[in-house]
Amino acid sequence: MLCLVAAAQFDMIRNHILKIDSFNTSFPREKIFLHTNKPYYFLNDTLWTKGYVISASDNYISDSSKIAYIEIYDADAILVKRISTSSSFGMFYSAIWLKDPLFKQGQYLIRAYSSYMRNAGDSLFYEKIFSIIDPDSNEWKLPVNKLDFTNENNVNQTKDPEGSAPGKNRIQPSVAGNGETLTDLRFFAEGGRFIAGKLQQVGFKATDIYGKGVPITGRIENSKKQTVTIFTTVHNGMGTIWLTPIIDEVYTAVLQNGKNYQLPLPTSKGTMLQVVNNPTSDSIEISVDATPDLLGQQYFFRASAKGISCAMGLIRPGPQPYKRSFSKKAFPSGICRFTLYDKDGLPVNERATLVWHREALTLQLTAEQKNPEGGDSISVSLSAKDSKNKYAVAGFSAIVLDTSNVTYNKHEENLISYLLLQSDINGKIESPFYYFDNPLPQAIDALMLTHGWVQYDHFYEERKYKYDAAFTVSGRLLNIANRPVSEADVLLFGKEGRLKSFVLNTSTDKNGRFIFSGFPNFSTDSVTVLIRALNRKGKAYGIGLALDQQHFPAAPLPFKNSYPSALFIDTTEENYIKKQVEIKKEQKIKKGFLPEIILTSKAKVAGSKNLNTDGAYDELISQKTLEAVPEKTLREILTGKIKGFHKGPLPKSMLQAYKRSGDLVVFIIDGYNLLQLYEPTSDSKTAFTEFEESWLDYIKAGDIKGIEVMYAGKNSIAYEQYFNLYSTYLLGYTFIEITTYSGNGAFNKNIPGMHLHKPLVPIVLKSYYQDSSPAIENKTDTLDNGAGSFWIPDIITNEKGESRLSFPAPRRAAKLLFVVQGTDGKGGLGVGVFPLEFIEGRWQKPAK
């Protein structure tokens, strides 16, 4: 720590930074990384994930947050799916079915976070864009030059000399009218200031219309068209130039194709911060310079990493630049930031760099199975050692890829690159692991100059969002005078799926508040709860029950590419698509599928929970019909539109119920069966119909998308089986499926003393919760079913740093890639990419 004697005006800055250091040490930021099971997905695939919750201060596993949230958004930033999952010892799992019609072909963003992470801002959540491919889509059958670009931001043609199918060659859409390729080029002065008369480094980045870096070469000209310097990209469209700008001079970058881009205008006043981080050196050098009018003034300097100071003190630039070297040992691996503050405490220059001490876990993979032919399994042994060459007890997840089916970039994002780089820098980085795998020094400089970095410490305050220690449901009881109801009994009746039920009870405190905890482990998010409250006299009359609502972060910004067809023209997966189609055909033949028959189906209600696989029904009240009478109640609609709908007694009973002809009507609102909610509260023969009418009179036609009626045996059998209701000679059933626009119709009604709630419960996947085996087989996702990957979520090395596991061998010749990553929980991160080939009668790693 460099602690120079501070001038009085800098005491406030120093004290402020010390408070930030103390706060970030006591309350470190939390990070989440998701390891997914595939590089891209088929429609109707399952997206499996393993999540790692890590403390930003030391990369240790964080066990404070017990619940993690996962969201999937489409390219327009519309939420498609949200789940929560139970986290234990800093790890969690999820499985999301990418089911049609909820998902369609296209690009999606998966986002993961904990409640505690919201304290640092939504921009620091884990985010990753992935693709869903529908190989049956007609768009994959079109040549590229037949794709329609007419509505895609002035792009009306593509360069496709061979008329190749999508994905065979990457192509560039061209600007309408002049045929020039769309390229964006931006320049960034080191430290944020472009100072006249000072030699300084300027970073630049060139990107195409998809945001991908493109190689360019060009020259810098002054206003007299004289060449000042030449430049070329170093890596992924990025590079640096050295330039001494002159005041009032205009500099222009001229590319080889003649396209011009203006550099920032030089300023005559300011300070300049330069950082030299040579990978071969054991130190980082900084240089601070200033224009003549600022010489002799004092500035406060701070070097920090992970929001905590590594060095700080006063700097006074003189006739010669102030220079100083810092040992890299003073900085942890990851992004380090250097900041220069003026006397008012405002940052005037900032610069980031990457430090990598190469302290990752060392992983080795050995193939053990000698004769895995004929569909047998492949057995391998994984070993792990820490940076001190000691055996590491660690947890990993892995995917096995058939590289004849799928492609994989060894430099794509992984646990190391995300935690140490991507999570602390702005903008999406292409091939981020490249910067940890012997990169060119100029490439690191170019990256640091062109991308910003995350601010940890502009604010320190009480954490608004706490750790989720457990799943709870809470609320408050108020009487008709809006006063709290204390010492009242509150019961919670819960149901998970069709069969699993649970009951919890509690009572209100003096403020009328109640909280339910101690829930069972949930294996599905299909959970509903009914909460009932009674006052001291055992009555529900006059009680208002208000649940605490869970508020989620705002949606991310739309990431929809300006060119929607990018999925087709910016992919290398044409062979992948073809193979999957061929494999599916083979499977159908082997399993005796009948030839394909084209059927004409009835109109479907969007978002309906219809249990029939073909969405069949006997009667439909359409959206158009409902829109014509928006103020009518659901009961009025059913009475007027469904023949035989009436109120009458049940067989051999005086109990009244709603019926269709002789059938008992079962109302299902957005997939929820109202029968599951009813509990007798009186002996009145109309008690049941009064209960149903509380819902039927509440929902209006304007709230409803469509109503489907099922009573014929072929259409009602799925409902009878699902709800365990079976027709007899005395009583049959008519099922009425009501689909509302909100998708939450039955959950908007609040009856006195009662509340129906559909919580977002944390899921514990059954296979992971019950089975301690290190290799969990996902039977729908094997190397031979066309997916091209196999998922192994849990690998635990023993005290000797070893773990043995197996996975199915493909039945066809293939080259495999075993991709593993994980942590020892104590800051050690490990990533390994191991090829496996069938050579000389056995699976083994090929010779280098």
Side-chain angles (χ1 to χ4, degrees), residues 285-305:
E285 299 175 6
I286 66 120
S287 174
V288 179
D289 201 0
T291 51
D293 55 313
L294 299 177
L295 295 180
Q297 293 192 19
Q298 285 187 322
Y299 295 87
F300 196 86
F301 171 81
R302 181 191 185 213
S304 63

mmCIF file of all heavy atoms in Angstrom, residues 285-305:
data_model
loop_
_atom_site.group_PDB
_atom_site.id
_atom_site.type_symbol
_atom_site.label_atom_id
_atom_site.label_comp_id
_atom_site.label_asym_id
_atom_site.label_seq_id
_atom_site.Cartn_x
_atom_site.Cartn_y
_atom_site.Cartn_z
ATOM 1 N N GLU A 285 3.589 -0.609 -14.775
ATOM 2 C CA GLU A 285 4.112 0.752 -14.748
ATOM 3 C C GLU A 285 2.996 1.742 -15.072
ATOM 4 O O GLU A 285 2.204 1.510 -15.983
ATOM 5 C CB GLU A 285 5.242 0.911 -15.769
ATOM 6 C CG GLU A 285 6.431 -0.009 -15.508
ATOM 7 C CD GLU A 285 7.478 0.100 -16.606
ATOM 8 O OE1 GLU A 285 7.315 0.971 -17.486
ATOM 9 O OE2 GLU A 285 8.440 -0.696 -16.582
ATOM 10 N N ILE A 286 2.963 2.834 -14.300
ATOM 11 C CA ILE A 286 1.998 3.895 -14.591
ATOM 12 C C ILE A 286 2.748 5.194 -14.844
ATOM 13 O O ILE A 286 3.848 5.422 -14.326
ATOM 14 C CB ILE A 286 0.976 4.072 -13.446
ATOM 15 C CG1 ILE A 286 1.667 4.572 -12.167
ATOM 16 C CG2 ILE A 286 0.225 2.793 -13.187
ATOM 17 C CD1 ILE A 286 1.162 5.886 -11.682
ATOM 18 N N SER A 287 2.128 6.034 -15.675
ATOM 19 C CA SER A 287 2.704 7.348 -15.989
ATOM 20 C C SER A 287 1.582 8.372 -15.963
ATOM 21 O O SER A 287 0.519 8.147 -16.565
ATOM 22 C CB SER A 287 3.367 7.318 -17.363
ATOM 23 O OG SER A 287 3.796 8.611 -17.742
ATOM 24 N N VAL A 288 1.809 9.479 -15.241
ATOM 25 C CA VAL A 288 0.825 10.558 -15.152
ATOM 26 C C VAL A 288 1.464 11.834 -15.664
ATOM 27 O O VAL A 288 2.530 12.244 -15.196
ATOM 28 C CB VAL A 288 0.324 10.759 -13.706
ATOM 29 C CG1 VAL A 288 -0.676 11.913 -13.641
ATOM 30 C CG2 VAL A 288 -0.294 9.476 -13.169
ATOM 31 N N ASP A 289 0.829 12.456 -16.635
ATOM 32 C CA ASP A 289 1.335 13.685 -17.224
ATOM 33 C C ASP A 289 0.200 14.699 -17.282
ATOM 34 O O ASP A 289 -0.979 14.346 -17.161
ATOM 35 C CB ASP A 289 1.882 13.392 -18.625
ATOM 36 C CG ASP A 289 2.858 14.464 -19.102
ATOM 37 O OD1 ASP A 289 3.091 15.423 -18.333
ATOM 38 O OD2 ASP A 289 3.367 14.342 -20.232
ATOM 39 N N ALA A 290 0.567 15.976 -17.473
ATOM 40 C CA ALA A 290 -0.443 17.032 -17.501
ATOM 41 C C ALA A 290 -0.002 18.132 -18.441
ATOM 42 O O ALA A 290 1.191 18.287 -18.746
ATOM 43 C CB ALA A 290 -0.667 17.591 -16.097
ATOM 44 N N THR A 291 -0.949 18.901 -18.919
ATOM 45 C CA THR A 291 -0.638 20.055 -19.752
ATOM 46 C C THR A 291 0.018 21.130 -18.881
ATOM 47 O O THR A 291 -0.144 21.121 -17.644
ATOM 48 C CB THR A 291 -1.915 20.599 -20.414
ATOM 49 O OG1 THR A 291 -2.919 20.795 -19.403
ATOM 50 C CG2 THR A 291 -2.438 19.622 -21.458
ATOM 51 N N PRO A 292 0.798 22.060 -19.478
ATOM 52 C CA PRO A 292 1.575 23.037 -18.701
ATOM 53 C C PRO A 292 0.786 23.799 -17.656
ATOM 54 O O PRO A 292 1.296 24.081 -16.560
ATOM 55 C CB PRO A 292 2.126 23.976 -19.778
ATOM 56 C CG PRO A 292 2.221 23.110 -20.999
ATOM 57 C CD PRO A 292 1.052 22.197 -20.929
ATOM 58 N N ASP A 293 -0.459 24.134 -17.933
ATOM 59 C CA ASP A 293 -1.235 24.929 -16.990
ATOM 60 C C ASP A 293 -1.613 24.148 -15.727
ATOM 61 O O ASP A 293 -2.069 24.741 -14.729
ATOM 62 C CB ASP A 293 -2.513 25.454 -17.654
ATOM 63 C CG ASP A 293 -3.347 24.340 -18.250
ATOM 64 O OD1 ASP A 293 -2.781 23.478 -18.949
ATOM 65 O OD2 ASP A 293 -4.569 24.307 -18.005
ATOM 66 N N LEU A 294 -1.439 22.825 -15.743
ATOM 67 C CA LEU A 294 -1.812 21.994 -14.595
ATOM 68 C C LEU A 294 -0.604 21.434 -13.859
ATOM 69 O O LEU A 294 -0.772 20.717 -12.865
ATOM 70 C CB LEU A 294 -2.714 20.836 -15.044
ATOM 71 C CG LEU A 294 -4.051 21.231 -15.689
ATOM 72 C CD1 LEU A 294 -4.797 19.989 -16.154
ATOM 73 C CD2 LEU A 294 -4.909 22.041 -14.710
ATOM 74 N N LEU A 295 0.597 21.739 -14.328
ATOM 75 C CA LEU A 295 1.796 21.218 -13.675
ATOM 76 C C LEU A 295 1.886 21.756 -12.246
ATOM 77 O O LEU A 295 1.604 22.926 -11.988
ATOM 78 C CB LEU A 295 3.046 21.612 -14.463
ATOM 79 C CG LEU A 295 3.176 21.023 -15.873
ATOM 80 C CD1 LEU A 295 4.457 21.507 -16.537
ATOM 81 C CD2 LEU A 295 3.134 19.492 -15.823
ATOM 82 N N GLY A 296 2.290 20.870 -11.324
ATOM 83 C CA GLY A 296 2.427 21.252 -9.928
ATOM 84 C C GLY A 296 1.178 21.050 -9.103
ATOM 85 O O GLY A 296 1.227 21.096 -7.867
ATOM 86 N N GLN A 297 0.025 20.844 -9.762
ATOM 87 C CA GLN A 297 -1.194 20.591 -9.000
ATOM 88 C C GLN A 297 -1.190 19.154 -8.472
ATOM 89 O O GLN A 297 -0.610 18.250 -9.074
ATOM 90 C CB GLN A 297 -2.433 20.826 -9.872
ATOM 91 C CG GLN A 297 -2.636 22.279 -10.261
ATOM 92 C CD GLN A 297 -4.013 22.507 -10.859
ATOM 93 O OE1 GLN A 297 -4.920 21.702 -10.675
ATOM 94 N NE2 GLN A 297 -4.165 23.618 -11.585
ATOM 95 N N GLN A 298 -1.837 18.961 -7.337
ATOM 96 C CA GLN A 298 -1.878 17.643 -6.740
ATOM 97 C C GLN A 298 -3.132 16.877 -7.170
ATOM 98 O O GLN A 298 -4.216 17.454 -7.345
ATOM 99 C CB GLN A 298 -1.852 17.746 -5.206
ATOM 100 C CG GLN A 298 -0.486 18.095 -4.636
ATOM 101 C CD GLN A 298 -0.468 18.010 -3.131
ATOM 102 O OE1 GLN A 298 -1.435 18.385 -2.476
ATOM 103 N NE2 GLN A 298 0.627 17.533 -2.559
ATOM 104 N N TYR A 299 -2.938 15.580 -7.329
ATOM 105 C CA TYR A 299 -4.039 14.673 -7.673
ATOM 106 C C TYR A 299 -3.954 13.459 -6.757
ATOM 107 O O TYR A 299 -2.875 13.101 -6.280
ATOM 108 C CB TYR A 299 -3.957 14.235 -9.137
ATOM 109 C CG TYR A 299 -4.145 15.375 -10.114
ATOM 110 C CD1 TYR A 299 -3.067 16.151 -10.534
ATOM 111 C CD2 TYR A 299 -5.404 15.680 -10.594
ATOM 112 C CE1 TYR A 299 -3.238 17.199 -11.407
ATOM 113 C CE2 TYR A 299 -5.595 16.730 -11.480
ATOM 114 C CZ TYR A 299 -4.502 17.490 -11.882
ATOM 115 O OH TYR A 299 -4.683 18.533 -12.758
ATOM 116 N N PHE A 300 -5.101 12.855 -6.537
ATOM 117 C CA PHE A 300 -5.138 11.651 -5.720
ATOM 118 C C PHE A 300 -5.212 10.443 -6.645
ATOM 119 O O PHE A 300 -6.048 10.382 -7.546
ATOM 120 C CB PHE A 300 -6.351 11.661 -4.780
ATOM 121 C CG PHE A 300 -6.251 10.653 -3.672
ATOM 122 C CD1 PHE A 300 -5.597 10.964 -2.486
ATOM 123 C CD2 PHE A 300 -6.795 9.378 -3.796
ATOM 124 C CE1 PHE A 300 -5.496 10.048 -1.459
ATOM 125 C CE2 PHE A 300 -6.706 8.447 -2.777
ATOM 126 C CZ PHE A 300 -6.047 8.783 -1.594
ATOM 127 N N PHE A 301 -4.319 9.485 -6.400
ATOM 128 C CA PHE A 301 -4.220 8.294 -7.251
ATOM 129 C C PHE A 301 -4.673 7.069 -6.470
ATOM 130 O O PHE A 301 -4.366 6.902 -5.290
ATOM 131 C CB PHE A 301 -2.776 8.103 -7.719
ATOM 132 C CG PHE A 301 -2.530 6.802 -8.429
ATOM 133 C CD1 PHE A 301 -2.849 6.653 -9.771
ATOM 134 C CD2 PHE A 301 -1.985 5.705 -7.749
ATOM 135 C CE1 PHE A 301 -2.629 5.449 -10.424
ATOM 136 C CE2 PHE A 301 -1.748 4.509 -8.389
ATOM 137 C CZ PHE A 301 -2.082 4.375 -9.735
ATOM 138 N N ARG A 302 -5.405 6.202 -7.151
ATOM 139 C CA ARG A 302 -5.837 4.943 -6.524
ATOM 140 C C ARG A 302 -5.735 3.798 -7.522
ATOM 141 O O ARG A 302 -6.157 3.933 -8.686
ATOM 142 C CB ARG A 302 -7.285 5.049 -6.044
ATOM 143 C CG ARG A 302 -7.783 3.770 -5.345
ATOM 144 C CD ARG A 302 -9.282 3.828 -5.138
ATOM 145 N NE ARG A 302 -9.767 2.680 -4.382
ATOM 146 C CZ ARG A 302 -10.957 2.121 -4.561
ATOM 147 N NH1 ARG A 302 -11.776 2.607 -5.483
ATOM 148 N NH2 ARG A 302 -11.339 1.084 -3.838
ATOM 149 N N ALA A 303 -5.160 2.695 -7.094
ATOM 150 C CA ALA A 303 -5.155 1.450 -7.854
ATOM 151 C C ALA A 303 -6.012 0.459 -7.086
ATOM 152 O O ALA A 303 -5.823 0.289 -5.872
ATOM 153 C CB ALA A 303 -3.736 0.910 -8.016
ATOM 154 N N SER A 304 -6.963 -0.174 -7.752
ATOM 155 C CA SER A 304 -7.890 -1.053 -7.047
ATOM 156 C C SER A 304 -8.215 -2.280 -7.872
ATOM 157 O O SER A 304 -8.025 -2.316 -9.089
ATOM 158 C CB SER A 304 -9.190 -0.299 -6.717
ATOM 159 O OG SER A 304 -9.845 0.098 -7.905
ATOM 160 N N ALA A 305 -8.709 -3.305 -7.190
ATOM 161 C CA ALA A 305 -9.188 -4.530 -7.827
ATOM 162 C C ALA A 305 -10.327 -5.072 -6.983
ATOM 163 O O ALA A 305 -10.249 -5.057 -5.749
ATOM 164 C CB ALA A 305 -8.064 -5.560 -7.948
#
